[in-house]
Amino acid sequence: MSISVAVSGASGYAGGEVLRLLGNHPGVTIGAITAHSSAGSRLGEVQPHLHSLSDHILEETSAENLAGHDVVFLALPHGASADIAAQLPEKTLVIDAGADHRLEDPAAWERFYGPGHAGTWPYGLPELPGRREALRGARRVAVPGCYPTSALLALTPGFTAGLLEPHDVVIVSASGASGAGKSLKPHLLGSEMIGGMSPYGVGGGHRHTPEIEQGLGWAAGNPVTVSFTPTLAPMSRGILTTATARAVPGTSASQLREAWEHAYDDEPFVTLLPEGQWPATKSVVGSNMVLLQLAFDEHAGRVIVSCAIDNLTKGTAGGAVQSMNIALGLDETAGLTGAGVAP
Amino acid sequence: MSISVAVSGASGYAGGEVLRLLGNHPGVTIGAITAHSSAGSRLGEVQPHLHSLSDHILEETSAENLAGHDVVFLALPHGASADIAAQLPEKTLVIDAGADHRLEDPAAWERFYGPGHAGTWPYGLPELPGRREALRGARRVAVPGCYPTSALLALTPGFTAGLLEPHDVVIVSASGASGAGKSLKPHLLGSEMIGGMSPYGVGGGHRHTPEIEQGLGWAAGNPVTVSFTPTLAPMSRGILTTATARAVPGTSASQLREAWEHAYDDEPFVTLLPEGQWPATKSVVGSNMVLLQLAFDEHAGRVIVSCAIDNLTKGTAGGAVQSMNIALGLDETAGLTGAGVAP
Amino acid sequence: MSISVAVSGASGYAGGEVLRLLGNHPGVTIGAITAHSSAGSRLGEVQPHLHSLSDHILEETSAENLAGHDVVFLALPHGASADIAAQLPEKTLVIDAGADHRLEDPAAWERFYGPGHAGTWPYGLPELPGRREALRGARRVAVPGCYPTSALLALTPGFTAGLLEPHDVVIVSASGASGAGKSLKPHLLGSEMIGGMSPYGVGGGHRHTPEIEQGLGWAAGNPVTVSFTPTLAPMSRGILTTATARAVPGTSASQLREAWEHAYDDEPFVTLLPEGQWPATKSVVGSNMVLLQLAFDEHAGRVIVSCAIDNLTKGTAGGAVQSMNIALGLDETAGLTGAGVAP
Amino acid sequence: MSISVAVSGASGYAGGEVLRLLGNHPGVTIGAITAHSSAGSRLGEVQPHLHSLSDHILEETSAENLAGHDVVFLALPHGASADIAAQLPEKTLVIDAGADHRLEDPAAWERFYGPGHAGTWPYGLPELPGRREALRGARRVAVPGCYPTSALLALTPGFTAGLLEPHDVVIVSASGASGAGKSLKPHLLGSEMIGGMSPYGVGGGHRHTPEIEQGLGWAAGNPVTVSFTPTLAPMSRGILTTATARAVPGTSASQLREAWEHAYDDEPFVTLLPEGQWPATKSVVGSNMVLLQLAFDEHAGRVIVSCAIDNLTKGTAGGAVQSMNIALGLDETAGLTGAGVAP
C-alpha cells in the first residue's frame, strides 16, 4: 500500500528537492503538487530537471488542495506554515521545512521573525541524542535549518562527552547559492556570484543562531553561546561549516577523537572521515551524507570540526524525507542515497 | 539471484560513475573494483563520494582479478581494453567505456589511435534505429563516446526522415572538465578553468569525429561529413551540443518538428522539450536524460538542434549500465534516473 | 587640458566597465554619472568595485545632466539612445554602446527592435577595413555588439582575401553572464548558472545576426548568410566564438594562415596566436585584447576560427573607449590594456 | 630615468601577476624574466594573458641572470630565496614574495619550513603601524603571505586601540585556487574544485599561523593566540577572511566602529565600507584594494571583521609592487589600481 504525499512550495528549490527524492522513493505516490505564483503551470516549466513529473500541473497552495494525503510537505516562506498546518487533520503527517516550528523559546523566534510563535514540533534531526525516538509516530515534524544541521552534527559529540566549553563557540559556514532560494536579488545573479565570495547577515543577526544555540544546549545540558557567520560561495549546492569550540582544560587529542569516533557509529548518513582526509562539499552533492573531520589545535586550545552537507538534501529535503520515514516506520534510508554526484 | 559485476578503472571519473550507478542498481552485487596506480588503496581515498563502498580495497586491473563475474566494466585508457577483453570468457558480459571497439572502419580508428584496430562490438546507444536489438543478449558492448552520444541523438531523427543534407554538418560542443579525465594537466587546473572557456583539438583533429560520422551515416544511409569543434566549459559535468545541418530544399519547419517529435516517443531517457524551452545541462546532472530542442533557421537554411546530457552519466557510465540492462534482459532503466540533481 | 566625460547607464555592467576604464585613462575627467532607477544613490552602493568613484552620486539620466561634457557615453537599453542623442550638441562626441545606430538597413533593425530606425553612425570597430578612418573626428559612434565584435574579427580576414564562401557561415558563441546584463531573471541566478550551460535565442532569432551579416558583407563585398547560436556559460565575463565558413574550392591551409597572419599586423589589440595555441577567455579578462586561432578542416572543407574577447571590455566598454580615443585623436590605447587578469 | 626590474618565478601565478602589474607601471623597464622548468620558452606559452611580453624568452633563474637590475622580484618556492638573495648586490632592491624572510622567530620558521632560518627583512605591509617607515629606502623586503595580509589588516585596528583580547582569536579564510599555486595536484583540478568547497591544513598546522600571530602581536604589544582555518573556494582569485576576537569587557559597538573608522584614513588601498555593506571578493579582483566591514556580536562578545582582498594582487604581487614603490621613493600607487575587475 503506497503512501500518498502532497508537496507545497514546489516551484522553489526546497520543494523541487523534496520531489526529486520522493521520485526515487519506493513507498510513496505523489499526489498534489502546489505552488503560489506558478500555480497553473506545468511542473516541467519551473523544474525542468524532474523529468518524470514534468506534466504535473501545479495547483494553488491551500489546505484544501493539500488535504487528503497521508503526508504533506510544507516548503513555504517562513511564517506561512502554521496557518496551513492548523487546517490539516491531526492524523496527517505534516513536515515543515520552514522555520515556524523549530524553536522552543517564543522570544527567540519573535526576535528574528516577528510576533506569533506557532509552537514547537519534534525536531527532524534524528542523529541528535533522543531525537529519533521523538520522531517515531509523530504527525508534525519541524525540519532543521541547513546551517544548524551542519553545526549541530559537527559539535554535538563533544558537548555530549563534556569536552567542550559552552561559551564562545565560533562557527563560520560557506553556503551555495541555493541556500538563498530562488528570489530575484541582484547579489544572487550569476554575474555577481561566479568567481567570488561574500559574507552576509554578519554579527549575531543571523536567524539561524538561536536554533544552533538551542541544539547545542540540548547536548551540553546548559546554555551555549555561539558566534555564527554565514558566507555565500560560488556553488549551487553545499555547505561547508567550520565549527570551533574551546576544549575543556586537560582534554587530550585522543579523548576528543574518541568522542566523535563512536558518536555516529550506527548512523547511516553521518561519518567521521579517516584522519588526514577532509570533507569536500562535492562528495555529498545530491546525497543525504554528512562528512566530518576533526582537529585539535592544542596551541589555541580549540577543537575545529569541518562538516560538509548538501544544503538542499540533508540540509532540507533529505532531512525531511528521512524524518517522514522514521515517523511512518519505514526504512529510514528509503528514497535517500549516501553517494554524492561527484565530481 | 544477483548479478556479480566487476569494475576496472575505478579511480577515474568514468569508473567512479559506474560504481555510483551500480550502487543504486537493485539487481547487482559489486565484486572486484580495480585500478592501476591506486591499487591497494581504499576506494574512499580516491572516490570519497561513494560512501557505502569506501572500505573496498582497489585491486590491480588484470584479467585475473576481473574474471569470475557476470559483468565486467572496462573504464580504461584508449587502447587498453582489447587485451583484457580477450582474456575474459565469452559468456562474460564485457562493457567497454573506452574507444577500442566503437569504429567499424579500421582506417578511421588507426588515424586517431594508431595501429591495431581491435574489432567492432555492438554499439551501446539503444536509441539509434536498430541498435537496441543488437544489444539484446550481446556479451560485448562498446559504449559510445560522450560527444557522439549527444551529436547522434541530436541529428539522427532528421537523417532518418531524409530531411537533412549529409554533407556539411557543423557541430560545436561544450563539455565539462570531467570529460577530460583526471589527468594532471595545467590547463585543467581549477585556477585555469574557473570562469573561462577555451577550445581544444580544433580542426577535424578530434578523434570523436569519425564516430559521429559513422553514426550519422547509419541514419542517412550515406556518408556524412562533419565539422566538429569541442570546447571546454567551467563546469564539472555536462555537455551542451549545438548541432546544425542544412535542411533538404523545400523542407518546412513543421515537417522538421514532426520528425523529431515522434522519434523518441518510446524512449525513457530522450525527450524533445516543448517549443520555446531550451535544454540546460544542469537539468540532467547525474541523470541518464537527454534533452533536445530544435529550431529551423529558414534564413540560413539550417536546422539547429541543442542537446544536453551529463557526459559521465548518459555520456559514459549511464549508457554503459543501460546497455548492461538490455544485454541481460533486465529493466532497461534499473539503476538509472531521469531526474537531474538541480540546481 | 583634460577631456570631460559623462557616463549614463552607470548602474549597469556596461556603464560600470566604461567607468572602470575611464578611471585609468590619463586624459579624461569624469563628470556626470547617471542612472535611472538608482539615481540618487552613491555609486559605491551599486558598483562597489569602483573604489575611487564610490562617493559620486548618481544623477538621473537626462540630456540636461549629460550636456556640457566633451564626451557622452550612452549605455542604455536598446531604443533609448536616439532621443537623448538628438538633444545633445553636434560637437559633443556621443558614443552609443546600445544597438540603436549600428545597422544600415532599417528593415533589419525593425525586424528585431520594432519601428523607428534611428539612423546609422560610424561603426566603432576600427580593426575592420576602412572603419578606423571613418572614426577619426567623428562626433557620433555606434559601438558594435559583443557577439559581432568577436565574429567579425574572426572571419573578416578570410572574406577580405576572397577565400571564404559567403553563404552558410555557422557561428556558435558562448558568453558569460554579464552579457545578459543585470536584469533579474530566474535563469540568470547563480544557482541556475553555476556549473551548467544553456542555449538561448536559437534559430536565427538572435538580434545580433543582422549585425554580423552586415559586417561580413562589408568584407565579402556581397551578402553573407549566417547561422548564429549564442549559449550562456558559467562565467561572469568572456565570449568564446567558434566561427566557421566553407573555404573557396582549391584553397590551401597555407593560403588561409597567410590571410589571417598579416591582417592584424598593425593592430594593438588583435593577435593571431602561434600555431597550436588556442585562445582562452581568461587570457583577456579586463583587457581589450582579441585572441584568434585558425584551423582548416580539409576533410569538411571548413575554416574554423576561435576568438576570445572580454564581452564587457573589447566587446563593449573597451571598444567604446578605443573609439573615443580615435575620434578625438588621442593615443588609441589610452586607458586600455592588453594584459588580461589571469588566472 | 627608468628603473630596471628582473622577475623570477615568472611561470607561476605570483610571478605572472608581478609582470602584469609592472607592465602598467610608468617608471620601470622589465629586464630579465626567469623561470626554472620553463626556461627557454616564450613567456606567451606559459602566461598567455601577458600580451605585450609574450615574445620574451624565459631565462634560467640564477643570481647571474637576475643581477644587474635595480630591483629583483623573487617569486620562488619557500626556502629558495635566501641563496639567491645572498648573491645579489646590497644596493639591489630584492623583494621576496616567498616566506623565507617574514618571521622574526627562527623557531617558528623552522617548525613549518625546516632548519635554516634565513633572517628577517622589513615587512611589506605598509598599512601596519610603523611598517611604512621601515620600508623607505630598504633594499630587502619580505612580502607578507596572502592570508596574513587579510587577517592583519582586519584585526590590527582593534588591537592597536586596546579593544580586543589577545587570546583566542579565531580566523576562517576562504581562498581561491590560485593561492595553491600551479602545482598539479588532483584536488586542484577544475573537475574537483568547480562547484564545491573544502578545508585544508586544518588544526593549527597551517604555516601562516605564526605570521598572523607575529603581526597581531605587534599591534597588541603582547603575544596573540590564533586559531586559523583556511578553506579552498571555487574561484580563481580572492580571499574572504572572517576574523573574530573577543572584545575587552565593557567595549561598546561605537568604540569599536570608531577604532576601525579612522585607522586607515590615509591609506590609498584600505577602506572600511559604509555600515550595512559587506565586502565581496569580486569587488577587488585584479586590484590592490582591501575592503573591510565590522560587526559587534554583543550576544557572543565577539567582534567579527570581514576582509576581502585579491590574493595575487594585494596578497602577493600588488603588495610587492607597493613595497617597491615605497622603498624607492616612488608614488606608492604607481602600477596599482583601486578598481576591481567586476563583475
Side-chain angles (χ1 to χ4, degrees), chain C residues 13 16-17 20 24 42 44-52 178 194-195 236-237 267-271 273-274 277 282-286 289 291 310 312 337-343, chain D residues 13 16-17 20 24 42 44-52 178 194-195 236-237 267-271 273-274 277 282-286 289 291 310 312 337-343:
Chain C
Y13 292 139
E17 184 76 349
R20 186 180 73 84
N24 292 324
R42 290 172 64 251
E45 287 173 48
V46 290
Q47 306 279 20
H49 63 297
L50 300 175
H51 180 63
S52 66
S178 62
I194 294 170
S236 290
R237 286 169 173 248
E267 291 300 338
F269 293 124
V270 187
T271 198
L273 291 170
Q277 195 174 357
K282 294 196 67 164
S283 296
V284 299
V285 168
M289 284 303 297
L291 299 183
D310 184 320
L312 288 181
T337 175
V341 178
Chain D
Y13 292 139
E17 184 75 349
R20 184 179 75 84
N24 292 326
R42 291 172 63 248
E45 288 173 47
V46 290
Q47 305 279 22
H49 62 297
L50 300 175
H51 181 63
S52 66
S178 62
I194 295 170
S236 291
R237 289 170 172 247
E267 293 298 338
F269 294 124
V270 187
T271 199
L273 291 170
Q277 194 174 358
K282 294 197 67 163
S283 296
V284 298
V285 168
M289 284 305 294
L291 299 182
D310 184 321
L312 289 180
T337 175
V341 178

Side-chain angles (χ1 to χ4, degrees), chain A residues 82-124:
Chain A
D83 268 5
I84 297 253
Q87 301 174 59
L88 294 171
E90 281 188 22
K91 64 169 186 180
T92 304
L93 172 55
V94 181
I95 297 185
D96 184 5
D100 294 21
H101 305 92
R102 293 172 190 159
L103 294 180
E104 295 174 337
D105 176 8
W109 202 86
E110 287 170 9
R111 193 159 68 245
F112 290 95
Y113 300 100
H117 181 235
T120 315
W121 290 355
Y123 194 67

